[in-house]
Amino acid sequence: MDMIFDQARIAVNRHRARLHHDPKATFLLDIAAEELGERLAVVERTFEHAVELHGATGAAARAAIATGKVRQLTRVESEHAYAEAGEAIIEAALEEVPLEPQSANLVLAPLSLHLTNDTPGVFIQIRRALKPDGLFLAAIPGSGTLQELREILLATEIEMTGGASPRVIPFADVRDVGGLMQRAGFALPVIDAETYTVRYDSIFPLMKDLRAMGMTNPLLARSRKPLTRAFFLRAAEIYAERYADPDGRIRATFSIIYVSGWAPHESQQKPLRPGSAKVRLADALKVEEHKLKQ
């Protein structure tokens, strides 16, 4: 397994973001929570025991409860300080799913699975924690996220130093996530993506939001040399040159992959075996063509 992320740094980033909570910087979690809530609302069943994994603000948990589909919900976080007044949570590291096998009917994972080194293992842990016919819903930042910032930081570093180090984390695409769902053994997976464009006055409020999200560089291969103010001033100039709208504000792209899948159960619809179709596709097309001519 390739180690990409510094889990100790991620814990520090998330802890600092929690201490200096900025409600304006939680917009991505709010968007993801609303979307997950809407997807849960159309599922025609009630979930006895739901779990939210590392949702930070608890927005996804609240959205799930608001649907009326969840009877009991437990939150899992990296530290107890995430708990609201009177709330009990389970403490666990980001890559751990501290649930007994087949103990949950619903697992929600809002914007945390992109920071795991053993992502296939985490998906497998989630599937094992679900009861048969239990539901997994996730929101995962996907490819295209912060593509402008990635390009700008790379161009600035090459211009000013002649070299470059990774500054923005890699994000999975829809196909990668589909492969993870299949590998973990989820049934009836549905995967799609939404892209959101956020505008800022300059690179500086964008970087401030990323710090408030706990998303400063957690890569193991990151340079430990601090970046200078001159670097960011030049980066701001290049960003404005390449990605500014007519009013001078810059664009930042965030792509979120939404995932749903079920723990296998005998009652679920099964795909037909290859060769078991009663009518050949070619014959069906001929019938349709004949109807059109009539």
Side-chain angles (χ1 to χ4, degrees), residues 38-53:
E38 290 178 356
R39 292 170 186 240
L40 180 61
V42 300
V43 179
E44 296 184 356
R45 72 175 59 183
T46 299
F47 298 90
E48 294 294 329
H49 181 209
V51 177
E52 182 205 59
L53 294 177

Side-chain angles (χ1 to χ4, degrees), residues 77-248:
E77 290 292 351
S78 54
E79 51 182 298
H80 284 291
Y82 281 103
E84 298 180 358
E87 181 184 31
I89 66 173
I90 298 174
E91 186 172 345
L94 202 63
E95 296 192 322
E96 296 177 8
V97 181
L99 306 173
E100 292 295 323
Q102 299 187 13
S103 61
N105 305 101
L106 170 67
V107 172
L108 303 165
L111 304 186
S112 61
L113 295 176
H114 61 297
L115 294 172
T116 52
N117 285 309
D118 184 16
T119 309
V122 176
F123 272 63
I124 290 171
Q125 290 182 68
I126 292 170
R127 199 262 302 155
R128 288 176 176 168
L130 284 169
K131 293 182 179 180
D133 212 26
L135 177 61
F136 171 45
L137 289 174
I140 306 169
S143 59
T145 296
L146 297 174
Q147 60 187 10
E148 302 91 351
L149 183 63
R150 184 194 309 275
E151 177 188 323
I152 295 312
L153 295 181
L154 179 63
T156 305
E157 194 164 9
I158 290 174
E159 177 184 305
M160 296 187 70
T161 69
S165 60
R167 302 287 178 185
V168 176
I169 70 173
F171 295 98
D173 62 23
V174 169
R175 190 183 318 174
D176 296 329
V177 175
L180 288 170
M181 293 290 285
Q182 184 178 30
R183 180 174 174 179
F186 283 99
L188 308 174
V190 177
I191 304 161
D192 60 274
E194 295 285 345
T195 298
Y196 309 94
T197 301
V198 183
R199 303 201 313 144
Y200 290 91
D201 289 336
S202 73
I203 195 175
F204 297 104
L206 167 59
M207 299 298 291
K208 180 181 178 181
D209 267 5
L210 294 178
R211 285 193 296 273
M213 294 176 189
M215 282 296 293
T216 48
N217 192 348
L219 293 169
L220 282 168
R222 70 188 185 277
S223 171
R224 267 55 172 185
K225 184 178 179 181
L227 295 175
T228 64
R229 179 168 176 78
F231 177 93
F232 284 109
L233 288 172
R234 180 55 184 148
E237 291 176 352
I238 299 175
Y239 208 133
E241 290 169 2
R242 298 186 185 182
Y243 294 109
D245 290 330
D247 62 0

